[in-house]
Amino acid sequence: MIEPSKLFQLESGQKRRKLALTYGALERDINGIAEKGTEYSFTEMPRSEYIKKITLILLKDPKLTDEAKKELSSLLEQTPINELKVCNCARNHLLSIIGTFPAEWDLIIAPHNQNTQIDGTIKQREFYKGITVYAEDIRSPFNIGSIFRTAEAMGAENVLISPFCIDPTQPRAIRSGMGCIETLSWERKPLSELPKDIPIFALETGGENIETFKFPKEGICIIGSEELGVSPEALKCATYGRVSIPMKGLKASLNVGVAFGILMQKWVEYINK
C-alpha cells in the first residue's frame, strides 16, 4: 500500500491503477484474507483514517462522475465509516474509469458465528463428507477461483483438478477465490486415478433434468472446460450418470462457475431432504 502523500507524485492513469489495487488490498485486509505481506501496516494512522485520506484524493479525480463523488462523500460522512463499503464503492468507480471491471461477484458474507472465534479466526470448517468436485481442464483463473469459492461455501469436502487445469494458486484465481483456495483441500489427479468405488457423475448437456436427478449422498461431480465441456473420457468415468440444467434461452449456455453453483445448491438440497 502506498503512502497518501506519494499518490500526488503519480500521473493520473498510474494513480488510478494504484488506488484500485490499494482498495482491493484493503478489502482483503478488512475481510481477514490478505496475503502475507499485504496486510495493512501503517502504524502511524488507523486503517479507517488511511481509507479516508486516499478517498479524499480520489474525490479530486476529474473523471469521477458527480454521482460517484456524491456517493463516496456520503459514505465518508458516516461515523464510523463502513470501511468495506467505502473501499468496494471506490474500487468499482475506479475500475469503471479505467475500463476494467471486477473479475468476481462482489458478494461478501460473514463466516458463520458458531465457527468464528472472537479474534475472527475459523475454529473448524464444516462440510458434507464425501462431496467432491472434479474440475476438468478449466483454463480461466476467474472460473477456477469461482469454483473453489462455491465449493467451500456450499460445503464440498474437497476439489480435484485435472492435469491441464489452471493452477489454483495463480494470483487471479486466488483473487476470485476470496480465500477459499487456501481453506479448501485440493489435489491434481488424472481421470485414471479417480476412485472406482464411489458414485461419479457429470454435469453436462443431454443428461437427466437436475430437478429429478437422484444425487448420491457421497460422490464426485465432474465439470468440464469452458469451451469443450466434459470430455468423452471423463463421461466414461461418470458411471453414476449425467445431470443437466434445463434452459429456455436461445443460447442455452451458462458460465461453468454459475452452472456449478446451481448444481451444488441442488446437491445440498437433495442431501438435506
Side-chain angles (χ1 to χ4, degrees):
M1 294 178 197
I2 190 168
E3 291 184 13
S5 59
K6 292 184 179 180
L7 283 168
F8 290 104
Q9 301 171 21
L10 304 178
E11 56 91 15
S12 296
Q14 188 180 8
K15 184 188 297 183
R16 292 184 190 111
R17 290 191 295 274
K18 188 64 179 178
L19 275 170
L21 290 170
T22 299
Y23 280 119
L26 285 165
E27 285 186 63
R28 293 190 291 277
D29 187 73
I30 293 165
N31 283 301
I33 58 172
E35 298 169 33
K36 189 175 182 180
T38 65
E39 306 93 340
Y40 180 75
S41 58
F42 288 103
T43 55
E44 64 272 19
M45 72 177 85
R47 187 177 60 197
S48 60
E49 185 62 28
Y50 178 85
I51 292 170
K52 281 184 179 180
K53 283 183 178 292
I54 63 172
T55 304
L56 288 171
I57 293 171
L58 173 59
L59 285 169
K60 296 178 182 178
D61 192 312
K63 288 196 174 182
L64 198 66
T65 66
D66 290 339
E67 291 80 5
K69 289 179 180 178
K70 184 177 179 181
E71 182 180 20
L72 285 169
S73 296
S74 176
L75 290 172
L76 291 183
E77 289 170 2
Q78 297 177 9
T79 306
I81 66 166
N82 184 325
E83 296 181 35
L84 185 58
K85 192 168 184 178
V86 172
C87 290
N88 187 260
C89 177
R91 181 172 61 86
N92 279 288
H93 285 311
L94 273 166
L95 293 175
S96 180
I97 294 171
I98 295 168
T100 306
F101 293 91
E104 78 281 341
W105 181 24
D106 282 327
L107 173 63
I108 297 171
I109 302 176
H112 296 300
N113 291 334
Q114 65 267 28
N115 292 330
T116 307
Q117 302 186 97
I118 295 174
D119 64 359
T121 59
I122 304 300
K123 289 188 247 181
Q124 184 178 357
R125 178 178 175 264
E126 294 185 0
F127 56 83
Y128 294 97
K129 189 178 183 307
I131 299 302
T132 299
V133 56
Y134 183 86
E136 183 189 32
D137 297 352
I138 303 298
R139 307 292 187 178
S140 162
F142 163 66
N143 284 340
I144 196 66
S146 175
I147 288 165
F148 268 81
R149 189 173 177 181
T150 297
E152 200 286 328
M154 299 306 297
E157 182 173 3
N158 56 11
V159 174
L160 301 176
I161 61 175
S162 70
F164 297 110
C165 200
I166 191 167
D167 190 337
T169 62
Q170 201 261 14
R172 288 178 61 199
I174 290 174
R175 170 83 174 131
S176 66
M178 291 294 287
C180 295
I181 292 168
E182 297 91 330
T183 303
L184 193 61
S185 65
W186 63 276
E187 186 178 357
R188 197 179 288 275
K189 271 184 182 292
L191 287 167
S192 60
E193 291 185 11
L194 291 183
K196 305 294 192 294
D197 57 346
I198 62 173
I200 299 176
F201 65 99
L203 175 61
E204 184 58 283
T205 57
E208 184 175 341
N209 190 315
I210 197 169
E211 297 294 342
T212 57
F213 186 74
K214 292 179 173 59
F215 288 93
K217 295 295 183 179
E218 296 184 15
I220 299 173
C221 176
I222 300 174
I223 55 175
S225 72
E226 299 88 341
E227 298 87 3
L228 303 175
V230 178
S231 70
E233 295 77 18
L235 287 174
K236 289 179 183 177
C237 294
T239 54
Y240 188 82
R242 185 188 308 192
V243 59
S244 300
I245 300 170
M247 292 174 275
K248 292 188 179 296
L250 291 174
K251 295 292 185 181
S253 174
L254 286 174
N255 170 273
V256 62
V258 174
F260 176 59
I262 296 170
L263 180 283
M264 280 302 299
Q265 176 63 32
K266 291 295 184 182
W267 197 352
V268 168
E269 285 179 0
Y270 192 88
I271 291 172
N272 290 322
K273 277 184 180 179

